[in-house]
Amino acid sequence: MTIVLTPYWSNGVQKLKVAAQPAAPPKHGLVPPCLNAEIHAERCLMQLRSKDKNLEKYIYLSHLKNEDPNMFYKLCLQHMAEITPIIYTPTVGDACLQFSHIYRRPEGLYVSFSDKGKIRNVLSNWPKIDEARISVVTDGSRILGLGDLGVNGMGISIGKLSLYVAGAGIRPESTIPICLDLGTNTQRYLDDPFYLGMRQKRVSDKEMEEFMDEFMHEMTTAFPKLMIQFEDFSTDNAFKYLDRYRNKYPLFNDDIQGTGAVVLSGFLNAAKLSSAASGLPLTEHRILFFGAGSAGVGVASQLMSFFTLLGLSEEEARRRIWLVDSQGLVYDTRGNLAEHKKFFSRDDYRGPPMTNLLDIIDYVRPTALLGLSTITGAFKPEVIQAMASINKRPIIFPLSNPVRLSECSFADAVEYTRGTVLFASGSPFPEQQYQGKTLYPGQGNNMYIFPGLGLAAILSRASQITDSMVEASSLGLANSLTEEEKALGLLYPRIERIREISAHLAKEVIRAAQKAGVDRSPDLRTMSDSELSRFITRKMWNP
């Protein structure tokens, strides 16, 4: 047996610790005599495909991950396009809705409001404190477009971290899924005898604030090398707690920053194709957002970079963006605007409320229509046709998750634009045949961004996740298409290349962290880009 000693620093003194040993293979006689690893992978895949419901496939994969994580991640890497929609969107939405009913075994860490004042004790119960490097934290208050699911939201934290492992090679033992149980306002869960959370309405804003301050402080104390991703907090709280902690801890919010980064990447490629068809300068694009929650405003904020990178001022960039919420066009004199909407509120419209999307399109004349509303079918045929009538190649991104909440389907977008649409969605849609040509939908999947961003934060030991780091991940993704992918008109690279993409993004993000002065791994600064890329690839865990 070979023992590996790994050096580490503690209070300024270098010490040695025994590196984790791989699990010993079962002793002779404890497995069938002719068990072959490659054939067993095919056996597991056959078992998965035998399930006729995606939720049953999700349950099977959850069991496989618990019993044989190496096999689970091996299948993920070999069949990424098939398995990702099961462990992440869209199936994870159904799994969260049913989480208390399909619960089998403990996974992750639950921190309840009743733990307030003793959160450190709860965190110290995590069995792999020294290995902890990344955590996805949700309070379950706005899971996808499904509403307040309470502790049922744990499925999102588990699913995201599975993608960190599969997509960027972060070690499984380094991950901590966390669900904060602050109650739920969904009565059917409070009445459900199987519900696994506290049976009370959500705590007050003041109580939550005190709880969150204690939680974040204790997280940093218990896990000093941890990066935290906030996931699916309600809109106001998503902005509030990102702003409250982002300059104190290595933290980012995937709904605000991750979604914004992946959409910016797809938009960069779509805008070039649209401008090539119309002759319109890139600086003249006009973007209309249908949906003004945390995701919508987060994406709008990120897309300002599209214009500022082209030389426009921040004010000029802001004026290229319009928001639509449940009350119609967002403008100043409408009054009673939520704080997060005010930055993009228009001061150049003073007419009566404009609530019809067709009227708004006619007024704004957008080159791009982005949906983050979770309103099924909001982009009706006449809306899609209106976009096609004013653009040779309209950009239409229905980004709401899961599929059943998408603003339109790829099939409708192709049909009603006569095949000219530049399309990306939040959930996967099948390719379409149009006039003898195969058209491929883009999927603005945050999985393209957060694994590489998280890997970079871990390797560089970033003290903060800066806007420049998020922007670097977006630009890295936009520039990662192969020539073959460009020839097919793809806006995003194929998901099967996720490890390669994550390594490229990690390099770009580490360089951005170094430039911002938030990295704490000085050895990486002296590496050339090729040396850094090799270092990143070596650090990726493989099953």
Side-chain angles (χ1 to χ4, degrees):
M1 172 175 158
T2 301
I3 296 176
V4 179
L5 299 177
T6 303
Y8 71 101
W9 289 91
S10 177
N11 297 322
V13 178
Q14 191 176 53
K15 301 180 180 180
L16 295 173
K17 66 178 178 181
V18 178
Q21 298 293 312
K27 292 182 178 180
H28 183 70
L30 298 183
V31 295
C34 294
L35 180 64
N36 176 282
E38 293 304 317
I39 294 176
H40 186 50
E42 292 299 316
R43 180 182 294 110
C44 292
L45 190 63
M46 177 271 293
Q47 292 171 2
L48 172 67
R49 289 171 176 171
S50 72
K51 313 296 181 185
D52 61 355
K53 294 183 176 63
N54 282 339
L55 188 58
E56 290 298 323
K57 292 182 179 182
Y58 175 91
I59 292 170
Y60 171 79
L61 288 171
S62 295
H63 177 78
L64 182 64
K65 183 173 71 169
N66 181 72
E67 296 298 324
D68 190 351
N70 278 286
M71 181 59 70
F72 170 79
Y73 287 112
K74 183 176 182 178
L75 290 182
C76 284
L77 287 170
Q78 291 178 348
H79 305 276
M80 188 69 68
E82 178 179 353
I83 291 179
T84 296
I86 300 171
I87 62 175
Y88 188 42
T89 57
T91 307
V92 73
D94 295 329
C96 286
L97 288 170
Q98 300 293 326
F99 189 82
S100 289
H101 287 248
I102 64 174
Y103 178 81
R104 302 289 178 91
R105 66 190 68 81
E107 185 172 5
L109 190 62
Y110 295 87
V111 186
S112 166
F113 186 72
S114 61
D115 299 319
K116 188 172 177 292
K118 49 183 185 293
I119 291 175
R120 178 63 187 274
N121 295 338
V122 179
L123 300 182
S124 65
N125 288 331
W126 186 250
K128 298 178 180 177
I129 288 180
D130 292 339
E131 288 88 350
R133 295 293 182 273
I134 192 161
S135 178
V136 174
V137 179
T138 186
D139 73 342
S141 57
R142 191 196 60 82
I143 297 298
L144 301 174
L146 304 172
D148 182 354
L149 305 191
V151 296
N152 292 329
M154 175 59 96
I156 281 289
S157 294
I158 293 169
K160 287 274 183 174
L161 286 169
S162 293
L163 295 184
Y164 270 110
V165 177
I170 291 169
R171 294 182 180 277
E173 61 268 23
S174 299
T175 66
I176 314 179
I178 296 181
C179 186
L180 307 177
D181 186 5
L182 302 174
T184 178
N185 292 333
T186 303
Q187 191 61 43
R188 73 176 181 274
Y189 293 132
L190 297 177
D191 296 336
D192 183 353
F194 288 145
Y195 180 60
L196 293 164
M198 294 192 306
R199 296 180 187 280
Q200 68 171 61
K201 296 289 187 180
R202 284 198 171 270
V203 301
S204 68
D205 290 345
K206 184 175 185 301
E207 289 173 316
M208 181 175 179
E209 192 172 293
E210 292 171 353
F211 176 90
M212 290 297 296
D213 284 348
E214 180 188 349
F215 171 75
M216 291 300 294
H217 171 73
E218 297 298 351
M219 284 283 281
T220 305
T221 305
F223 310 112
K225 297 180 180 179
L226 194 72
M227 190 200 87
I228 299 171
Q229 173 185 316
F230 279 170
E231 183 72 26
D232 285 353
F233 282 68
S234 64
T235 296
D236 290 342
N237 284 335
F239 284 101
K240 175 181 178 178
Y241 290 112
L242 175 63
D243 292 341
R244 189 175 183 86
Y245 302 127
R246 65 179 304 179
N247 295 322
K248 290 182 65 177
Y249 309 109
L251 163 81
F252 87 110
N253 184 299
D254 190 49
D255 304 297
I256 296 172
Q257 296 164 291
T259 303
V262 77
V263 176
L264 171 60
S265 175
F267 186 82
L268 282 163
N269 292 327
K272 292 173 184 175
L273 294 172
S274 180
S275 286
S278 67
L280 185 77
L282 289 172
T283 53
E284 293 302 311
H285 278 281
R286 302 158 70 87
I287 309 172
L288 179 63
F289 283 86
F290 185 73
S294 59
V297 175
V299 173
S301 300
Q302 197 69 55
L303 282 190
M304 287 179 61
S305 299
F306 171 79
F307 298 105
T308 56
L309 288 167
L310 294 170
L312 272 61
S313 68
E314 183 176 292
E315 175 60 21
E316 290 170 327
R318 186 176 69 89
R319 290 195 166 275
R320 312 304 302 174
I321 293 170
W322 286 256
L323 298 184
V324 178
D325 63 10
S326 59
Q327 299 177 57
L329 184 68
V330 175
Y331 61 99
D332 289 356
T333 57
R334 199 184 81 179
N336 295 321
L337 290 176
E339 193 64 34
H340 66 276
K341 300 177 187 179
K342 291 181 179 178
F343 182 76
F344 290 104
S345 179
R346 306 297 301 191
D347 61 5
D348 53 0
Y349 179 78
R350 295 180 178 82
M354 195 180 296
T355 59
N356 184 285
L357 184 54
L358 283 172
D359 292 338
I360 296 171
I361 289 173
D362 186 57
Y363 170 71
V364 175
R365 310 284 292 178
T367 58
L369 175 63
L370 276 63
L372 294 113
S373 67
T374 67
I375 298 177
T376 307
F379 297 169
K380 299 184 184 302
E382 53 268 29
V383 168
I384 300 171
Q385 289 168 338
M387 287 295 297
S389 70
I390 57 177
N391 298 287
K392 287 187 175 181
R393 297 212 67 186
I395 300 169
I396 300 177
F397 285 11
L399 297 168
S400 292
N401 288 316
V403 168
R404 62 184 178 82
L405 298 179
S406 183
E407 287 79 7
C408 72
S409 68
F410 183 47
D412 283 351
V414 169
E415 178 181 353
Y416 296 113
T417 64
R418 298 183 179 179
T420 63
V421 69
L422 293 161
F423 180 96
S425 57
S427 291
F429 282 100
E431 60 196 41
Q432 296 291 315
Q433 299 294 323
Y434 186 81
Q435 294 184 350
K437 186 177 180 181
T438 303
L439 303 180
Y440 299 92
Q443 187 187 351
N445 190 331
N446 291 19
M447 182 186 175
Y448 282 117
I449 294 291
F450 63 77
L453 181 60
L455 180 62
I458 291 170
L459 294 180
S460 66
R461 298 184 57 226
S463 59
Q464 296 177 34
I465 309 299
T466 65
D467 287 340
S468 62
M469 292 166 68
V470 177
E471 184 177 285
S473 69
S474 183
L475 296 177
L477 176 59
N479 293 325
S480 65
L481 273 74
T482 64
E483 291 304 316
E484 179 188 0
E485 289 166 343
K486 291 176 184 177
L488 291 173
L490 303 188
L491 303 183
Y492 293 100
R494 296 193 182 281
I495 200 70
E496 292 86 351
R497 294 200 299 114
I498 187 62
R499 282 287 181 103
E500 175 190 340
I501 295 162
S502 292
H504 174 65
L505 264 62
K507 175 178 72 71
E508 298 299 312
V509 173
I510 288 172
R511 292 302 190 211
Q514 293 168 345
K515 190 173 182 180
V518 298
D519 65 310
R520 293 177 290 184
S521 293
D523 291 350
L524 304 188
R525 298 175 195 164
T526 60
M527 292 183 181
S528 66
D529 281 355
S530 59
E531 289 172 334
L532 181 57
S533 293
R534 287 195 295 271
F535 170 80
I536 292 167
T537 302
R538 286 199 309 271
K539 286 293 184 180
M540 285 180 162
W541 175 83
N542 286 295

